Amino acid sequence: MAKQSKKAFIGIDLGGTNIQAGILGADGQLAVRGSLKTKADGGTDTVIARIRKLVERLILDGGLKPEAIGGLGIGAPGAIDPHTGMVLNAPNLRWTRFPLGKTLEKNVQMPVVVDNDVNAGAWGEYLAGAGRGFDNMLAVFVGTGIGGGLVLNGKLYYGHYHSAGEIGHTTLDANGVLGRRTLENLASRTNIANLLRQLIEANHPSVVSEMTGGDLSKIRSKVLAGAIRRKDPLTLRVVEDAAGYLGVAIANVVTLLSLPCVVVGGGVTEALGRSWVQQIRRTFEQHVFPAELSKCRVVASRLGDDAGIIGAALLAQAKLSE
Amino acid sequence: MAKQSKKAFIGIDLGGTNIQAGILGADGQLAVRGSLKTKADGGTDTVIARIRKLVERLILDGGLKPEAIGGLGIGAPGAIDPHTGMVLNAPNLRWTRFPLGKTLEKNVQMPVVVDNDVNAGAWGEYLAGAGRGFDNMLAVFVGTGIGGGLVLNGKLYYGHYHSAGEIGHTTLDANGVLGRRTLENLASRTNIANLLRQLIEANHPSVVSEMTGGDLSKIRSKVLAGAIRRKDPLTLRVVEDAAGYLGVAIANVVTLLSLPCVVVGGGVTEALGRSWVQQIRRTFEQHVFPAELSKCRVVASRLGDDAGIIGAALLAQAKLSE
């Protein structure tokens, strides 16, 4: 670990829809926080201008002098080269080979560190969240997709093509009736929602019909959470199945990497809460090898939505203080 | 990497049935080689005495002076603490918490480095075999069981409980009709042989009946290789299925860790050869993510049976030259 910095760092979580940002004070607390729509349709110039606008607003809101800020970290969705700050491919933003780090440095007049958004979230949970103190850990974020980040021996692990952590694309059901299925095909919000929709359309009763006003294309995490609060049997079954697949996939990673800690986050986890993580943990314990590894902590994210922002700021702090 | 040593190192591959050993010369070549039955039934004293006997014989055969030998590396089956040289649990030897490193040092009068046998094999393939030059790689050994070893960022990766690499215990078929099944349940020689036996007993024709003289408890790797040479349709099908599961499991690891190289070894691989590795590779390419990773080399072991010996000697060289 780099030595404690006396400066503040800006953290940005760049998504396809929203740019979320915050300033992490020298005390390790998120001092100010804000967001803007990404407007990715406008192209890279538009997005860069909006990031700059948001950064300027945060600095103003925080009452910080430029010299008090050590730099900016940004997590972007997709394939990133963390060494050059290049976004290799980001389908959500429709960017290919865009030099995000260099472009942003010119625009915000401070050093910039770029990483994958999921890696930033994993780093945040490792240094300031539920993974604190565990030098080997996996963070899994369950939302419209399923992403993962690995900290091994106290460092983010990137692998040869910088693509490490893709637990969502591991195969869990090599013999599926409908062909092989990956974790993402089985347990992402997209697939939970699709399965619920199909079951409801096949006349399985569910409060979700009423909750969505019959528009089953709108099954978001909040709807799932509401249906579970109302103990809707169909939703409970579909969500428990998804938790089971997550438990198996996490057990596979822990078995392979002998990990003492797994942090589960993302929109679905935030919405479904503790009981969902407990379901994941139950299946995990049945599958992990050797038995000793059932002691591995499988816990909910502590930073929630802020993991990406805090992690990006902490990545900048670590890399710029090296 | 440690600097090139001018000394020779002894490498030992300790198995439940045989002790295999060799001396790796200062030129990096295996100078002498030998083996003895383990006789694990005799307990730790017997096994230690036999290792000592074999080591003395090798030194004599090699015409080496004691001062020309830098130390001894030994790979043992089971859970090992590589830092203390303690065998935590080795079911094949019926050992629990046996201080192999310290005991052996007293008996052979030289420094001893202990590791898991699969890790030793992986390290051998990394430094002197098919994985040479790839600082991130997986080695998978398919025999009566399926073991794996990981080199990450140029070092053996152990994980929190020193158990990393257990690809054989990852689940591939979470929804199996007969319950969930791990890679080892699907593709080890034990399971290939069991499945063949069951199919033959259910009257599927196969040359294996004749080759084993009707004793279907004796389906070893050589029988499988012979049946494949004779293009036995049943054996071809069972073996191709196993290769498919290996391809999926390897794709999962490469997807998770973004690896550029996977080395496949072990008794089954030695017996079945290149076409078996090609079958594994085909399924691997269909499952790995992102597509860029289909460039990952999935290749047969180059050191074959010597991987464990050479790897153990190289581990001793690396650790004792630090």
Side-chain angles (χ1 to χ4, degrees):
Chain A
M1 257 304 304
K3 64 177 191 298
Q4 185 65 34
S5 169
K6 295 282 170 57
K7 296 204 169 183
F9 286 84
I10 298 172
I12 296 180
D13 187 357
L14 176 60
T17 311
N18 295 300
I19 310 167
Q20 313 234 44
I23 300 184
L24 195 72
D27 59 353
Q29 300 300 311
L30 214 51
V32 279
R33 203 186 179 300
S35 72
L36 272 181
K37 291 281 169 206
T38 308
K39 301 200 174 166
D41 287 349
T44 53
D45 284 356
T46 301
V47 175
I48 292 291
R50 297 181 69 76
I51 294 173
R52 180 181 172 162
K53 185 174 159 187
L54 181 55
V55 167
E56 285 167 353
R57 190 208 291 169
L58 286 185
I59 294 175
L60 209 64
D61 288 356
L64 284 163
K65 289 178 184 158
E67 58 269 26
I69 299 172
L72 181 153
I74 181 166
I80 312 291
D81 182 337
H83 306 301
T84 61
M86 178 80 85
V87 175
L88 303 172
N89 182 30
N92 287 355
L93 299 167
R94 285 174 241 164
W95 289 359
T96 311
R97 297 197 68 76
F98 174 60
L100 174 61
K102 285 183 181 153
T103 310
L104 209 50
E105 279 187 349
K106 278 184 216 146
N107 273 271
V108 297
Q109 304 288 327
M110 65 179 86
V112 169
V113 169
V114 184
D115 211 317
N116 170 271
D117 54 351
V118 175
N119 280 346
W123 190 248
E125 290 292 342
Y126 166 55
L127 281 189
R132 209 164 166 169
F134 292 93
D135 279 355
N136 294 292
M137 62 157 266
L138 165 73
V140 192
F141 299 95
V142 188
T144 54
I146 298 181
L150 287 167
V151 174
L152 300 182
N153 298 321
K155 288 182 179 174
L156 273 177
Y157 174 81
Y158 293 101
H160 194 66
Y161 298 105
H162 318 300
S163 68
E166 286 287 13
I167 187 175
H169 293 274
T170 58
T171 300
L172 282 192
D173 192 359
N175 277 328
V177 180
L178 307 170
R180 64 111 179 181
R181 293 185 296 173
T182 62
L183 176 62
E184 202 164 276
N185 297 157
L186 290 161
S188 67
R189 199 196 67 205
T190 312
N191 291 276
I192 291 172
N194 282 345
L195 185 54
L196 261 180
R197 184 174 49 73
Q198 285 161 20
L199 289 168
I200 292 168
E201 285 171 357
N203 293 319
H204 289 76
S206 166
V207 297
V208 168
S209 313
E210 166 210 322
M211 290 174 70
T212 54
D215 181 355
L216 295 172
S217 70
K218 288 187 177 159
I219 308 180
R220 298 295 160 85
S221 295
K222 279 182 189 165
V223 171
L224 296 177
I228 284 172
R229 262 196 308 277
R230 292 169 64 178
K231 299 196 193 314
D232 178 55
L234 193 71
T235 306
L236 285 168
R237 215 179 75 204
V238 169
V239 161
E240 186 166 0
D241 263 15
Y245 288 116
L246 273 158
V248 174
I250 290 171
N252 281 354
V253 176
V254 171
T255 295
L256 185 77
L257 296 174
S258 196
L259 301 178
C261 180
V262 176
V263 177
V264 188
V268 172
T269 310
E270 295 307 313
L272 303 185
R274 202 159 294 271
S275 68
W276 154 263
V277 178
Q278 275 163 359
Q279 285 167 3
I280 294 171
R281 193 181 165 83
R282 250 193 318 273
T283 320
F284 162 81
E285 286 176 359
Q286 288 160 13
H287 287 74
V288 75
F289 179 92
E292 198 175 15
L293 280 171
S294 63
K295 285 183 281 182
C296 167
R297 288 162 50 100
V298 177
V299 291
S301 152
R302 196 180 296 158
L303 304 182
D305 276 350
D306 292 339
I309 299 172
I310 294 175
L314 289 170
L315 271 173
Q317 185 188 60
K319 295 207 178 171
L320 299 173
S321 311
E322 264 170 9
Chain B
M1 256 303 306
K3 63 180 193 295
Q4 184 65 34
S5 169
K6 294 284 170 54
K7 296 204 168 182
F9 286 84
I10 298 173
I12 296 181
D13 187 357
L14 176 60
T17 310
N18 294 301
I19 309 167
Q20 313 235 43
I23 299 184
L24 194 72
D27 59 354
Q29 300 299 310
L30 214 51
V32 280
R33 203 187 179 298
S35 72
L36 272 181
K37 290 281 169 206
T38 308
K39 300 200 174 167
D41 286 350
T44 53
D45 284 357
T46 302
V47 175
I48 292 291
R50 296 181 70 77
I51 294 173
R52 180 182 173 159
K53 186 174 159 186
L54 181 56
V55 167
E56 285 168 351
R57 192 208 288 167
L58 286 185
I59 293 175
L60 211 64
D61 288 355
L64 285 162
K65 288 177 185 159
E67 58 270 25
I69 299 172
L72 180 153
I74 181 166
I80 311 291
D81 183 336
H83 306 299
T84 61
M86 177 80 83
V87 176
L88 302 172
N89 183 29
N92 287 355
L93 300 166
R94 286 175 243 164
W95 289 0
T96 312
R97 297 197 67 77
F98 175 59
L100 175 60
K102 285 184 181 152
T103 310
L104 209 51
E105 279 187 348
K106 279 184 213 142
N107 272 270
V108 297
Q109 304 287 328
M110 65 178 85
V112 169
V113 169
V114 184
D115 211 317
N116 170 270
D117 55 353
V118 175
N119 280 346
W123 189 249
E125 290 292 342
Y126 166 56
L127 281 188
R132 210 164 166 168
F134 292 94
D135 279 354
N136 293 292
M137 61 158 268
L138 165 74
V140 192
F141 299 96
V142 188
T144 55
I146 297 180
L150 287 166
V151 174
L152 301 182
N153 298 320
K155 289 182 178 171
L156 274 176
Y157 174 81
Y158 293 102
H160 193 66
Y161 298 104
H162 318 299
S163 67
E166 286 286 13
I167 188 175
H169 293 275
T170 58
T171 300
L172 281 193
D173 193 359
N175 278 329
V177 179
L178 306 170
R180 64 114 181 180
R181 293 185 296 173
T182 63
L183 176 62
E184 200 165 279
N185 298 157
L186 290 160
S188 67
R189 198 196 69 206
T190 312
N191 290 278
I192 291 173
N194 283 344
L195 183 55
L196 261 180
R197 182 173 51 73
Q198 286 162 18
L199 289 168
I200 293 169
E201 285 172 357
N203 294 319
H204 289 77
S206 166
V207 297
V208 168
S209 313
E210 164 211 322
M211 290 173 70
T212 54
D215 181 356
L216 296 173
S217 69
K218 287 186 178 159
I219 307 179
R220 299 294 161 84
S221 296
K222 278 183 189 166
V223 171
L224 296 178
I228 284 172
R229 263 195 309 278
R230 291 168 65 178
K231 300 197 194 311
D232 178 54
L234 193 70
T235 307
L236 285 168
R237 214 179 77 202
V238 168
V239 160
E240 186 166 1
D241 262 15
Y245 288 115
L246 273 157
V248 175
I250 289 171
N252 281 353
V253 176
V254 171
T255 295
L256 184 76
L257 295 174
S258 196
L259 301 177
C261 180
V262 176
V263 177
V264 187
V268 172
T269 310
E270 295 308 313
L272 303 186
R274 201 159 296 272
S275 67
W276 154 263
V277 177
Q278 275 162 359
Q279 286 168 2
I280 294 171
R281 194 184 162 81
R282 249 194 319 272
T283 320
F284 162 80
E285 285 176 358
Q286 287 159 12
H287 286 75
V288 75
F289 178 93
E292 198 176 15
L293 280 171
S294 64
K295 286 182 283 183
C296 167
R297 288 161 49 100
V298 177
V299 292
S301 153
R302 195 179 296 158
L303 304 182
D305 275 352
D306 291 339
I309 298 172
I310 294 175
L314 289 170
L315 270 174
Q317 186 188 60
K319 294 206 178 175
L320 299 172
S321 312
E322 265 169 8

